[in-house]
Amino acid sequence: LNMKARGSLLKFLQKVDTFVHRTIGTNVVAAQEEREGCKSLYAVEAERQEQAERSVLISCHSRTNEKKFLNFLSRHGDINKYFFYESYGMYALVEFTNQESLSSLFEAAAIPSVSHESIVPFKSRLLSLRNLGSMESPNHQVGQQCQLQTSIPINKLIQRLSREESIDQQITSLTDVYQLTEENSRLRFLVCSLLKDIAAAYFPESTIKAFGSSVNGFGKLGCDLDMFLDLDGISEKCAKMPRSGLWLEYQMKQAISERAVTQSILSVIGDCVDQFGPGCVGVQKILNARCPLVRFTHQPSGFQCDLTANNRVAIKSTELLYLYGELDPRVRHLVFTVRCWARAHGITSSIPGAWITNFSLTVMVLFFLQRRSPPIIPTLDNLRDLAGPTDKSVIEGNDCTFVSDFSKIHLQSNTETLEKLLCEFFEFYATFAFNKMSISIRKGKELNKPEMAPLHIQNPFESSLNVSKNVNVTQLDRFVAVCQESSWLLQQKETSTPNEGKAPTPWGLAALLMPSKVAGIKGRKKRRREPASERIKSLLESLKTTN
Ligand code: GTP
Ligand code: MG
């Protein structure tokens, strides 16, 4: 190039530079403003809990006339929100504007008399609306909009994604269909609130809070409902013993440990749920697990519920995941995509065992996003350094402090597309040195593995623990093999670009969700090579973890 041409090229590049800088700068400012408007998980939960307290669940006939249904219920007060759904029958969630409406509703509700059963007069907010004559007349217009409470099957998802125009659109579309809906979130909080009414029989001031994927922003329609019996509010009040005045007299049986106390509380609540919890079936008390729990199905909502107590580290993990998900929309999109991809290839499973769990997988995605250049999300140590005095939290000697004020977090301007990030994710883990390195989102970098587990992911709040201790070599190998295959598929023109034609064949993300050619083969080969002693060892490990 001659000098003049060089000069104009330079000027042009400077203009491009300024433009890019301005555009990204504006995006960064906009994103920062958006973050400042983000509600903390506490605020979201408080709002949802309050809504749930004003709500009831009503079992009704499938031909219920919506208008008449509303007229009937409106006699008890204004209705703020309602929706119908199906779960072993038709149900409606009805949220009144005022809580007083519930008393009016209960006054009008009869307790049925059944000749062959003795009735426990426990008035729960699960009601039945039956035999209201013309309300159920077949001549009336029926078929009120039923809100789906489960996600669409994988083959339908693949068809839908194949019709999108770019991989970025496929990823956002997957999140749209899989994420919890507004209605499903309300139903989850209502089930917690119904359970709280049962727990309140023993502990009137206790609350039941949701945690895990129901509230961390990564929940898929149909995921389990993790609940936590919160007695801390009560014990905090008891902490200060007055010098004079009144205090409560109670029978104290010395328990040998905090764990024993948790087990006995869960045991009585479990019995209560079993005996008096309307719609609660298949109650199992799994009290010897590392984290004791009561598991049951809440039939009217269709949720598989896990009730724990004294599980404060898991609550902190939930808050942390929620925060990361709110920082940048790409976090949630990528987590949803990777979770769905992993489920499609049997890398994760609903049965406990040597599989990678959704929680471990989420931490792996977060770690990958911290390793981008520039990083998309900060490390946990960064978040701890930004914490204010009220954020301080130490649980059983572990520092769980991190910032809660979103506006204090300033992100670097990384503008990578979702497509690019997905390809890089597979590449990153297809070549990761799992044999030597551990994954740490606290430090945001690989650390030397402290123990010889096949996959080592440092527990964010209990750094000496490995969250993927249950994973065996076979499962890790399958994960790596499917990462390699997916990375390869995304590099092939035929599978990574949309195809013309009326019935589009799966491409891009849709192709990645199709049955893998390598996963099964690698898994089988590995299993044959693994000596029996190894297999027994990993089986024992997985049983220990499950317990
Ligand atoms: P799905 O239920 O699979 O949709 O995801 P989930 O995130 O709810 O996972 P899960 O029900 O297994 O666990 C509930 C919550 O407990 C998680 O979101 C975490 O906050 C926490 N948790 C689960 N496993 C671990 C672990 O190994 N270590 C820590 N610190 N927390 C965990
Ligand atoms: Mg869960």
Side-chain angles (χ1 to χ4, degrees), residues 296-351:
F296 58 94
T297 303
H298 184 256
Q299 250 179 6
S301 62
F303 296 143
Q304 148 97 38
C305 302
D306 278 352
L307 175 66
T308 54
N310 201 7
N311 189 8
R312 282 177 296 155
V313 178
I315 310 296
K316 272 284 157 190
S317 312
T318 302
E319 276 176 47
L320 180 68
L321 260 46
Y322 172 83
L323 183 143
Y324 275 129
E326 290 292 295
L327 286 182
D328 187 302
R330 288 172 295 181
V331 179
R332 287 184 69 239
H333 288 312
L334 213 59
V335 170
F336 268 99
T337 305
V338 171
R339 278 189 176 204
C340 175
W341 163 89
R343 191 71 186 83
H345 295 295
I347 289 166
T348 51
S349 165
S350 54
I351 310 159

Side-chain angles (χ1 to χ4, degrees), residues 211-213 216 223-224 226 313-314 317-318 339 358-359 459 467:
F211 73 100
S213 59
N216 67 16
C223 69
D224 66 356
D226 301 294
V313 178
S317 312
T318 302
R339 278 189 176 204
N358 270 336
F359 180 66
N459 189 324
V467 300

Side-chain angles (χ1 to χ4, degrees), residues 391-411:
D391 297 326
K392 190 152 180 60
S393 163
V394 178
I395 301 171
E396 288 155 23
N398 297 300
D399 186 7
C400 300
T401 307
F402 61 90
V403 63
S404 59
D405 180 354
F406 288 74
S407 67
K408 286 191 189 162
I409 307 168
H410 294 275
L411 301 180

Side-chain angles (χ1 to χ4, degrees), residues 126-172:
L126 172 62
L127 302 139
S128 269
L129 190 55
R130 293 273 180 266
N131 301 330
L132 283 165
S134 61
M135 276 182 72
E136 291 168 7
S137 152
N139 297 331
H140 277 291
Q141 179 219 335
V142 288
Q144 59 281 347
Q145 276 275 302
C146 251
Q147 300 289 328
L148 262 189
Q149 304 303 324
T150 48
S151 54
I152 60 171
I154 188 88
N155 55 341
K156 288 261 165 59
L157 178 71
I158 291 176
Q159 280 172 15
R160 182 184 163 132
L161 298 185
S162 303
R163 290 194 293 270
E164 299 291 352
E165 284 171 4
S166 68
I167 294 184
D168 275 46
Q169 278 176 16
Q170 291 184 324
I171 295 175
T172 46

Side-chain angles (χ1 to χ4, degrees), residues 44-99:
V44 174
E45 285 181 337
E47 191 181 314
R48 292 266 184 228
Q49 272 165 19
E50 197 272 325
Q51 286 170 345
E53 300 273 302
R54 290 185 271 115
S55 306
V56 289
L57 209 51
I58 301 184
S59 158
C60 44
H61 196 280
S62 60
R63 299 179 72 86
T64 303
N65 178 288
E66 188 169 340
K67 210 166 153 206
K68 292 199 169 188
F69 175 87
L70 286 179
N71 278 343
F72 180 80
L73 289 174
S74 301
R75 290 183 208 160
H76 302 282
D78 291 341
I79 293 171
N80 210 27
K81 162 109 189 162
Y82 71 94
F83 62 90
F84 291 90
Y85 68 93
E86 269 185 31
S87 165
Y88 308 98
M90 174 80 85
Y91 286 90
L93 183 152
V94 181
E95 180 195 307
F96 286 94
T97 309
N98 297 306
Q99 207 171 2

Side-chain angles (χ1 to χ4, degrees), residues 229-289:
L229 173 71
D230 188 6
L231 298 171
D232 275 0
I234 307 173
S235 42
E236 267 163 30
K237 280 184 213 154
C238 305
K240 289 181 202 109
M241 195 74 159
R243 287 201 173 180
S244 60
L246 287 171
W247 59 79
L248 298 170
E249 189 69 43
Y250 60 96
Q251 175 87 22
M252 191 168 79
K253 290 192 179 149
Q254 203 74 46
I256 46 166
S257 66
E258 206 167 334
R259 180 179 163 82
V261 175
T262 305
Q263 285 169 325
S264 69
I265 290 174
L266 281 177
S267 179
V268 290
I269 303 280
D271 285 340
C272 222
V273 170
D274 197 15
Q275 306 270 327
F276 312 126
C280 299
V281 299
V283 180
Q284 297 174 58
K285 295 198 256 176
I286 310 172
L287 302 177
N288 287 325

